[in-house]
Amino acid sequence: MKKCIAVINLLTVLLLQVNAQEMVLSLDTCVAMAMRENTQLQIAHEKAAMATDTRKSARTKYLPRVEALGGYMHMGKEVSLLNAQQKSTLQYAGTNIANQFNAYAQQVGQTMPALAGAIQQYLPGLQQSVGVLQQALDQVGNSLVDALRTDTRNMFGGAVTLTQPLYMGGKIVNGNKMADIAEEIANIQIDQATDDVRFNVENTYYLVVGVEHKKKLADEYAALIAKLEGDVKKMIDEGVATKADGLKVSVKLNEAQMQQLQAENGLSLSKMLLCKLCGLPLETNISVDTTMKVQAVGEINTTNNRNEIKMLSKAIELYDLKVKTARAEHLPQVALMGGYMVSNPSMFNGFEKKFNGTWNVGVMAKIPIWDWNETRDKVREAKRQSNIARLQKQDAEEMIDLQITQCQFKLDEAKKKMVVTEKNYDTAEENLRCANLGFAEGVMTTTDVMMAQTAWLQAKTQKIEAEIEVVTAQLALIHAYGN
């Protein structure tokens, strides 16, 4: 199909380069060109491609999600595990002990002089030992305070997490089903746009065919009048006809020429419309196949295959799934989680000023308890949308049945009309032949001949219109069934 369209495009370009050459278009060629150029059909294809992308995206909801997170934070104060009093106690632990020892020694000297005199000789050694212990304990306290310092004013952190949905209340499953239905609806819209393009092109093509026939009929009628005018002039010269007869024919010839002009203008406008549908410049010189014969399309498939009904049926399925998706908000959601996180400072080996991390794994469950009836209202909304779609489908089916009945009536009427107009045309043609013979033999007047010509023109015009009406009625009935 693509190769055929490419060939058609190439031929179109070559033909357009030769302005003086007329482009002869068949019905299939016009349909193919219109399919390529129609904007609504292109939009339908883009929407179908979007629906396909959405369906592919919905499939990924089954798969685990991997995310990376990193950050930096500067704090005005660092986190402290010890308060100010605890820090002071640890930093001056030795000093506090030494002060307590000296205070106790003074208390002993004051309350027990005899004991104080006995230990006076050992007091310098004890004080020296207490001084050494004081320094050691102060150093240990300062070291402990420094070790417990967090230094969290500049914090760096990062994590890689993996989340695998286990149960989402049916949201993922229903979401994928909705994406599938949306893709089917988009493809149906392509079919509908294609049918509409074909239907419009076919109707316009047969419109051009009908106007082309009328143009040829106008030319033929003008030629008949012109021939009659020539014969009347000869008869006037011979004295067997009056000037009044010549004036009558001249007026009729002017009317015929006016009909020619109207037919030419109508043909130009109808061709411009066909060019627009085919994506050609409006001034393109085209012609259509006027040798087509009017014939019945045979047995018409009466199965209702309208794309509108298909789309509404899919819409009902879509809204039913939307109801289930809304109900899923009431159900618990369970997911498997795992990952690796790292921080600086780290707390996995005391407080260290370096990056360190660990892995984690767990299960997360989310259970809705109360949402102020938000989910209930969403379910009701989805149900109402589903009911609206059902009512729309019912209404569309009734309207389509009515349209099919109207198209069937029009087709039956057009067929009967064509039979009548064919009989009228045969009668008018025989009447014109007899009028011409009678005029040549001098037994019929100019007025009789012109009346016969007018009747012949009217009968053939009605015959052409009836033939085109049969074709368009058949197309309308087929289109109404969606087949």
Side-chain angles (χ1 to χ4, degrees):
M1 184 64 183
K2 293 182 179 179
K3 293 182 178 179
C4 293
I5 294 177
V7 172
I8 291 173
N9 294 340
L10 178 61
L11 293 175
T12 301
V13 173
L14 294 176
L15 289 172
L16 288 175
Q17 292 176 351
V18 184
N19 295 329
Q21 185 176 356
E22 188 178 53
M23 182 188 302
V24 181
L25 297 178
S26 66
L27 178 58
D28 291 337
T29 302
C30 291
V31 171
M33 295 172 66
M35 294 292 183
R36 175 177 56 87
E37 296 295 335
N38 186 264
T39 303
Q40 295 301 320
L41 188 57
Q42 294 175 4
I43 292 175
H45 279 287
E46 289 297 326
K47 288 183 177 179
M50 289 173 55
T52 301
D53 295 335
T54 302
R55 175 184 56 80
K56 293 179 180 179
S57 175
R59 293 291 187 273
T60 63
K61 301 297 182 181
Y62 289 113
L63 305 176
R65 290 286 187 272
V66 180
E67 297 175 337
L69 177 67
Y72 164 77
M73 180 183 294
H74 177 77
M75 300 178 64
K77 295 181 180 180
E78 67 178 32
V79 177
S80 178
L81 300 178
L82 301 174
N83 57 35
Q85 183 179 357
Q86 291 172 335
K87 289 180 181 179
S88 178
T89 301
L90 289 175
Q91 288 175 337
Y92 300 104
T95 302
N96 293 333
I97 292 175
N99 290 336
Q100 291 179 1
F101 175 78
N102 292 331
Y104 180 73
Q106 290 178 1
Q107 185 179 2
V108 171
Q110 293 174 357
T111 57
M112 292 180 289
L115 181 59
I119 62 174
Q120 189 67 33
Q121 57 180 339
Y122 303 105
L123 186 59
L126 290 174
Q127 290 178 340
Q128 183 178 2
S129 299
V130 170
V132 174
L133 180 62
Q134 171 188 349
Q135 294 179 357
L137 290 177
D138 287 345
Q139 290 179 355
V140 172
N142 286 321
S143 299
L144 185 58
V145 170
D146 290 338
L148 293 176
R149 184 181 176 186
T150 60
D151 193 13
T152 52
R153 288 177 298 175
N154 296 296
M155 300 179 64
F156 300 87
V160 177
T161 61
L162 181 145
T163 305
Q164 173 62 58
L166 299 179
Y167 178 72
M168 295 287 113
K171 293 176 64 176
I172 296 179
V173 175
N174 293 327
N176 276 271
K177 291 180 179 179
M178 292 170 65
D180 293 340
I181 294 175
E183 185 178 20
E184 293 177 8
I185 292 176
N187 290 327
I188 295 173
Q189 289 176 336
I190 292 179
D191 295 338
Q192 183 177 10
T194 302
D195 292 342
D196 291 341
V197 170
R198 178 181 293 277
F199 180 68
N200 291 333
V201 172
E202 288 175 342
N203 275 287
T204 305
Y205 190 88
Y206 284 111
L207 172 65
V208 177
V209 171
V211 178
E212 187 81 48
H213 280 293
K214 290 182 179 180
K215 171 64 171 57
K216 292 180 180 179
L217 178 59
D219 295 339
E220 189 176 353
Y221 177 67
L224 287 175
I225 300 297
K227 182 179 179 301
L228 179 62
E229 184 185 38
D231 294 339
V232 171
K233 285 183 179 180
K234 292 179 182 179
M235 294 174 67
I236 293 173
D237 294 338
E238 294 175 1
V240 295
T242 64
K243 288 185 178 181
D245 294 331
L247 292 175
K248 290 180 182 179
V249 176
S250 296
V251 171
K252 209 66 177 178
L253 180 60
N254 291 334
E255 293 178 356
Q257 290 173 349
M258 182 59 67
Q259 290 178 355
Q260 278 185 298
L261 179 60
Q262 292 174 348
E264 288 176 359
N265 292 337
L267 182 60
S268 298
L269 291 175
S270 60
K271 286 183 177 180
M272 291 174 66
L273 179 58
L274 183 61
C275 288
K276 181 181 181 302
L277 292 177
C278 295
L280 297 173
L282 298 182
E283 64 276 5
T284 305
N285 187 16
I286 64 171
S287 64
V288 296
D289 182 10
T290 58
T291 62
M292 304 175 65
K293 300 296 182 181
V294 177
Q295 58 183 1
V297 295
E299 188 69 22
I300 295 179
N301 184 2
T302 58
T303 303
N304 192 338
N305 197 32
R306 288 288 287 268
N307 291 311
E308 293 91 336
I309 301 301
K310 294 180 182 178
M311 286 191 291
L312 288 172
S313 298
K314 292 298 179 181
I316 292 173
E317 296 180 21
L318 190 66
Y319 287 125
D320 288 342
L321 289 172
K322 191 174 180 180
V323 172
K324 295 180 180 179
T325 303
R327 285 174 177 165
E329 297 293 338
H330 277 307
L331 302 177
Q333 300 177 6
V334 182
L336 176 66
M337 300 187 67
Y340 185 86
M341 64 178 182
V342 63
S343 65
N344 183 6
S346 63
M347 297 179 292
F348 301 106
N349 187 25
F351 280 95
E352 293 182 312
K353 192 66 175 179
K354 67 177 182 180
F355 285 98
N356 196 358
T358 184
W359 60 270
N360 59 84
V361 64
V363 177
M364 181 187 70
K366 176 183 176 183
I367 302 175
I369 297 177
W370 180 250
D371 61 358
W372 301 99
N373 295 326
E374 178 184 1
T375 303
R376 184 197 65 181
D377 294 337
K378 288 183 177 179
V379 172
R380 288 180 176 179
E381 177 187 357
K383 285 183 177 180
R384 297 187 188 280
Q385 289 176 335
S386 180
N387 293 334
I388 291 173
R390 286 181 169 85
L391 293 173
Q392 288 176 338
K393 180 184 177 184
Q394 179 181 350
D395 184 63
E397 288 175 344
E398 293 174 356
M399 295 300 296
I400 288 173
D401 291 339
L402 178 60
Q403 182 184 10
I404 290 173
T405 303
Q406 290 175 339
C407 291
Q408 185 64 60
F409 286 162
K410 287 183 179 180
L411 178 58
D412 295 339
E413 181 181 349
K415 289 180 178 179
K416 294 177 181 178
K417 183 178 179 180
M418 186 173 68
V419 173
V420 173
T421 55
E422 286 178 349
K423 292 180 180 179
N424 291 340
Y425 173 70
D426 293 338
T427 302
E429 193 171 29
E430 179 62 21
N431 183 42
L432 179 61
R433 187 185 68 81
C434 293
N436 288 330
L437 289 176
F439 182 75
E441 294 175 359
V443 296
M444 299 192 76
T445 64
T446 304
T447 303
D448 295 332
V449 175
M450 289 189 297
M451 290 178 62
Q453 290 175 342
T454 302
W456 173 83
L457 174 64
Q458 184 178 3
K460 192 165 185 179
T461 302
Q462 291 175 350
K463 179 176 179 294
I464 293 172
E465 292 176 349
E467 290 176 347
I468 299 301
E469 189 175 343
V470 168
V471 176
T472 54
Q474 289 175 344
L475 294 175
L477 182 59
I478 295 173
H479 186 70
Y481 278 114
N483 296 318

